[in-house]
Amino acid sequence: MSQREETRNLETIPVGSLGIIPLEGCKSLGQKVDDYLVEWRTVRESEHKNSLAFSGYQRDSYILKAKVPRFGSGEAKGMILESVRGTDLYILVDVANYSLTYSLCGRENHMSPDDHYQDLKRIIAAVGGKARRITVIMPFLYESRQHKRTARESLDCALALQELVHMGVDNIITFDAHDPRVQNAIPLHGFETVQPTYQFIKGLLRNVDDLQLDSDHMMVISPDEGGMGRAIYMANVLGLDMGMFYKRRDYTRIVDGRNPIVAHEFLGSSVEGKDMIIIDDMISSGESVIEVATALKERRARKVFICTTFGLFTNGLERFDKAYQSGIIDKVLTTNLIYQTPELLSREWYINCDMSKYIAYLIDTLNHDASISDLLDPNERIQKVVGKYKRGERI
């Protein structure tokens, strides 16, 4: 932990005794976050360490025991097995973890985002308003893909956010929300959407040797007009050029609930001989991003790297295996904010960007009621890691 973080965190006393409840689908991420917090707070020195305000500051684990048992009918209840009174509570939930199952009238049922969201509400209900403050860390924002109304449609994400704050949640932290404007549903409460740009850059520089980080040899690409903000930020901090694709759709028909894409049209300067960083919020089926990579290769791009916060891979990994074997893509980077299959982690083309340290920083800082502004804007850290790469130092 850097000296800067140490000083900042020790200037204020904690809001309350720190408690973390990672729901079942988020256990491994929660454990890593807990390990960082235990390590930092064990070595941290403070003259006030023994005062009442710092009671319970150093512990073997900050994870509180909780469970959500189910009845044979599939119904469930949230249970917290130790006191949470006066605790500064952080609840971690991964709504995209489909690997978990439960018994529904004797049949195995996989958990959907709806099931995970209900479990989150059950745990909040079990707290019973006794915690000093509740922060929900929901990396993949529940129902965030349904962020606007175009016909007679429900606005599920806005409803969920309102429901959580009515239940007593003070802050909601998410990563790379599909459309951050959904926070307008709860304008009087805390809502942070965090970008993992620094982790992508670090992951890429750690795993790829021969990169030249200048506008003559590298470009950042947004696969659609909606993700321009991400691409502009990354291009600016790295000092690179930027390009964009827009999706030309056939609005006369609907296939699988959406208008099919006719073509990806490219806007930008020549990509010939340059390395491409395609940045997006999620890989769902992977169809769009592979088409964009193919279009770049047809324009004689050198290497193609795909960076997305969430790797859902809803149609499996075969499409990416073929693209890698054909030389269309070189590496795919996604975070461990959502469930990753063992098959994905074993792939040669895959780079896993670990977000647990970043989440631990956020929790540690918020528990001290300190500002997280510099954590939300990682420009300084990006410049430092790029400088190390250019000097040939270990990252």
Side-chain angles (χ1 to χ4, degrees), residues 352-365:
N352 174 27
C353 299
D354 184 12
M355 299 297 293
S356 55
K357 191 175 187 180
Y358 195 19
I359 294 173
Y361 271 137
L362 289 167
I363 291 175
D364 199 24
T365 310

Side-chain angles (χ1 to χ4, degrees), residues 136-358:
V136 168
I137 299 178
M138 187 188 285
F140 187 87
L141 188 59
Y142 174 69
E143 293 290 356
S144 59
R145 298 176 78 176
Q146 178 51 24
H147 61 277
K148 62 183 178 187
R149 179 180 281 153
T150 52
R152 295 179 196 88
E153 298 175 339
S154 60
L155 290 169
D156 297 42
C157 186
L159 280 172
L161 292 176
Q162 289 184 349
E163 194 172 11
L164 289 176
V165 300
H166 288 153
M167 291 183 78
V169 172
D170 297 278
N171 297 297
I172 295 163
I173 297 174
T174 188
F175 285 78
D176 212 347
H178 196 61
D179 188 339
R181 287 173 295 185
V182 77
Q183 68 189 286
N184 291 339
I186 49 166
L188 302 179
H189 290 80
F191 180 95
E192 299 293 347
T193 174
V194 187
Q195 297 291 336
T197 313
Y198 169 66
Q199 283 77 11
F200 286 148
I201 292 168
K202 193 163 74 170
L204 197 59
L205 300 184
R206 262 189 186 158
N207 292 279
V208 185
D209 293 329
D210 58 340
L211 295 176
Q212 289 180 272
L213 300 169
D214 58 62
S215 53
D216 295 328
H217 297 93
M218 191 177 267
M219 261 177 98
V220 179
I221 305 291
S222 174
D224 53 41
E225 63 279 15
M228 283 284 285
R230 280 179 218 99
I232 289 169
Y233 181 78
M234 186 182 256
N236 283 345
V237 293
L238 292 177
L240 305 178
D241 198 1
M242 200 205 87
M244 183 199 104
F245 281 85
Y246 77 89
K247 296 168 182 170
R248 191 146 51 83
R249 294 180 181 271
D250 180 358
Y251 286 99
T252 60
R253 30 189 211 113
I254 293 175
V255 178
D256 294 333
R258 57 183 186 157
N259 303 103
I261 297 163
V262 178
H264 287 86
E265 306 288 357
F266 181 65
L267 302 171
S269 56
S270 170
V271 304
E272 190 171 344
K274 294 179 184 175
D275 293 331
M276 302 287 114
I277 300 175
I278 301 170
I279 186 160
D280 206 0
D281 62 339
M282 70 178 76
I283 291 172
S284 186
S285 65
E287 186 183 340
S288 283
V289 83
I290 295 289
E291 282 177 17
V292 164
T294 308
L296 290 169
K297 277 292 186 182
E298 285 167 0
R299 290 171 171 79
R300 297 186 177 181
R302 181 173 169 258
K303 288 185 175 179
V304 175
F305 307 107
I306 298 167
C307 299
T308 67
T309 310
F310 306 109
L312 297 168
F313 299 101
T314 53
N315 289 9
L317 305 172
E318 291 73 24
R319 182 176 271 146
F320 286 86
D321 289 336
K322 282 181 189 166
Y324 178 67
Q325 284 153 16
S326 315
I328 291 167
I329 61 169
D330 290 85
K331 294 288 181 187
V332 177
L333 295 86
T334 73
T335 68
N336 63 339
L337 292 169
I338 61 169
Y339 171 68
Q340 299 159 301
T341 62
E343 294 77 35
L344 174 64
L345 293 168
S346 68
R347 290 298 198 267
E348 197 182 337
W349 44 262
Y350 181 67
I351 296 173
N352 174 27
C353 299
D354 184 12
M355 299 297 293
S356 55
K357 191 175 187 180
Y358 195 19

